[in-house]
C-alpha cells in the first residue's frame, strides 16, 4: 500500500538554527500539506501546496517557514530560525484530488525539538 | 466558538461494549467530514469518511447531522485494539475558509479495558 514517508523521524536543534523536514508524498498525488501538532494539543494546518505553489497557508506559517518541491518526489518544509515554540510533531500529508474531495494521507511525522 | 469541538474523554469501555461520542463543528457550510484515529505519538489515520446518509464500516458507524452541526461515531463490540484517540475532522471546502485545509478536533480518548 502506498504511503507518505518523512525524514528524519526526530530532529533536535538549537534555537535560531535552520531545519529542513523532508517528505515523500504518495507518488501519484498532486496536493501536499504540512500540519503540526504541539504535544497535548490538536493537529493544526500549516500550508497546502499544488502545482508548485502555495494554495493556502495559516497564520502559523509566517515568514520563517517555507515549502518547496525540489524534484518530482520530495516535498520539504524549512524553518529558517527555529524558536522554542516550534517544538512539535510535523506531519506531511498528500491527496490525489483537492483536499475536500479526496482523503488526505498522513506521514509518520517528524518530531522537532528546539533547545 | 472552536471550529471543531469534541469531548476529550477518556471513555473507559469494557471489551465487547458499545461506545458512542460526538463532535460539533462551527462552519455550517462545511462539506466534508471524517473520523481519524490517532495512536499515541503517531500520525492520524483515516478511520472513515462521514456521509449525510450515515455510513457503516464493520463495527464503526458514523452519522452526520447538518441541521445541528454534529457528527457522531459509534463503535460496537469494542476491541482492546480500539484504544486510541479519535479525531473529528472537518474540511470546510466550499467556504471562503478553505482549500483542503482540514480542521481537527482535539480528539476523544477511548480506553478499552479487558
Amino acid at each position: 500500500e502506498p504511503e507518505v514517508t518523512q525524514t528524519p523521524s526526530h530532529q533536535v536543534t538549537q534555537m535560531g538554527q535552520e531545519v529542513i523536514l523532508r517528505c515523500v508524498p504518495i507518488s501519484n498525488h498532486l496536493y501536499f500539506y504540512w500540519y503540526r501538532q504541539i504535544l497535548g494539543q490538536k493537529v493544526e494546518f500549516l500550508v497546502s501546496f499544488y502545482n508548485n505553489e502555495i494554495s493556502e497557508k495559516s497564520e502559523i506559517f509566517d515568514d520563517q517557514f517555507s515549502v518547496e518541491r525540489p524534484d518530482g518526489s520530495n516535498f520539504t518544509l524549512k524553518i529558517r530560525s527555529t524558536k522554542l515554540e516550534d517544538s512539535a510533531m510535523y506531519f506531511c500529508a498528500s491527496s490525489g484530488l483537492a483536499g475536500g474531495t479526496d482523503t488526505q494521507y498522513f506521514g509518520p511525522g517528524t518530531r522537532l525539538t528546539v533547545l | 466558538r472552536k471550529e471543531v469541538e469534541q469531548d476529550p474523554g477518556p471513555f473507559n469501555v469494557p471489551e465487547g461494549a458499545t461506545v458512542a461520542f460526538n463532535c460539533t463543528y462551527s462552519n455550517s457550510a462545511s462539506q466534508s467530514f471524517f473520523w481519524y484515529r490517532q495512536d499515541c505519538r503517531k500520525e492520524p489515520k483515516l478511520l472513515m469518511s462521514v456521509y449525510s446518509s450515515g455510513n457503516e464500516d464493520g463495527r464503526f458507524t458514523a452519522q452526520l447531522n447538518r441541521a445541528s452541526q454534529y457528527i457522531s461515531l459509534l463503535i460496537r463490540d469494542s476491541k482492546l485494539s480500539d484504544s486510541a484517540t479519535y479525531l473529528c475532522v472537518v474540511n470546510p471546502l466550499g467556504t471562503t475558509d478553505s482549500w483542503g485545509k482540514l480542521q481537527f478536533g482535539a480528539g476523544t480518548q477511548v480506553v478499552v479495558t479487558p
Side-chain angles (χ1 to χ4, degrees):
Chain A
E1 184 180 319
E3 57 184 21
V4 177
T5 59
Q6 290 185 243
T7 54
S9 57
H10 191 188
Q11 173 90 49
V12 181
T13 190
Q14 296 290 327
M15 191 169 57
Q17 295 297 304
E18 175 183 287
V19 294
I20 298 176
L21 310 183
R22 291 184 166 79
C23 167
V24 178
I26 293 172
S27 62
N28 61 347
H29 282 183
L30 301 176
Y31 299 82
F32 315 116
Y33 314 85
W34 284 101
Y35 293 81
R36 80 169 187 191
Q37 186 175 31
I38 295 171
L39 189 63
Q41 297 186 24
K42 65 179 184 178
V43 177
E44 301 173 289
F45 170 81
L46 292 178
V47 67
S48 57
F49 190 87
Y50 169 68
N51 199 26
N52 280 318
E53 60 183 30
I54 290 173
S55 302
E56 188 174 2
K57 58 185 181 180
S58 71
E59 292 175 355
I60 303 167
F61 194 89
D62 62 21
D63 292 344
Q64 293 301 312
F65 290 85
S66 62
V67 288
E68 194 178 30
R69 187 150 163 85
D71 53 42
S73 59
N74 289 284
F75 179 50
T76 63
L77 174 69
K78 182 193 289 186
I79 309 175
R80 260 181 278 282
S81 177
T82 50
K83 306 183 187 72
L84 295 176
E85 54 265 36
D86 293 328
S87 294
M89 194 75 153
Y90 288 80
F91 294 109
C92 173
S94 70
S95 67
L97 301 172
T101 58
D102 197 19
T103 301
Q104 292 185 28
Y105 293 92
F106 285 75
T110 293
R111 180 166 300 283
L112 177 65
T113 302
V114 182
L115 303 176
Chain B
R1 184 180 172 186
K2 292 181 185 174
E3 292 166 332
V4 182
E5 287 199 70
Q6 295 184 249
D7 181 342
F11 285 69
N12 294 298
V13 186
E15 197 174 4
T18 295
V19 62
F21 41 88
N22 300 332
C23 90
T24 57
Y25 60 95
S26 61
N27 191 331
S28 61
S30 297
Q31 297 294 317
S32 302
F33 309 90
F34 310 89
W35 284 103
Y36 280 73
R37 85 170 260 166
Q38 186 174 34
D39 295 296
C40 188
R41 296 186 172 230
K42 300 286 188 181
E43 74 273 26
K45 289 187 177 177
L46 179 72
L47 182 66
M48 57 198 303
S49 301
V50 187
Y51 304 115
S52 296
S53 54
N55 48 300
E56 191 174 302
D57 183 359
R59 298 181 293 107
F60 298 85
T61 301
Q63 294 280 349
L64 168 63
N65 185 319
R66 285 190 184 271
S68 302
Q69 293 177 221
Y70 79 79
I71 306 151
S72 65
L73 181 67
L74 182 145
I75 308 173
R76 281 186 301 278
D77 187 23
S78 298
K79 311 288 185 198
L80 296 176
S81 56
D82 294 334
S83 296
T85 297
Y86 290 84
L87 307 178
C88 178
V89 182
V90 174
N91 189 332
L93 188 72
T95 74
T96 57
D97 194 34
S98 168
W99 192 91
K101 178 181 82 173
L102 297 182
Q103 296 171 340
F104 284 77
T108 295
Q109 187 184 6
V110 172
V111 179
V112 182
T113 55

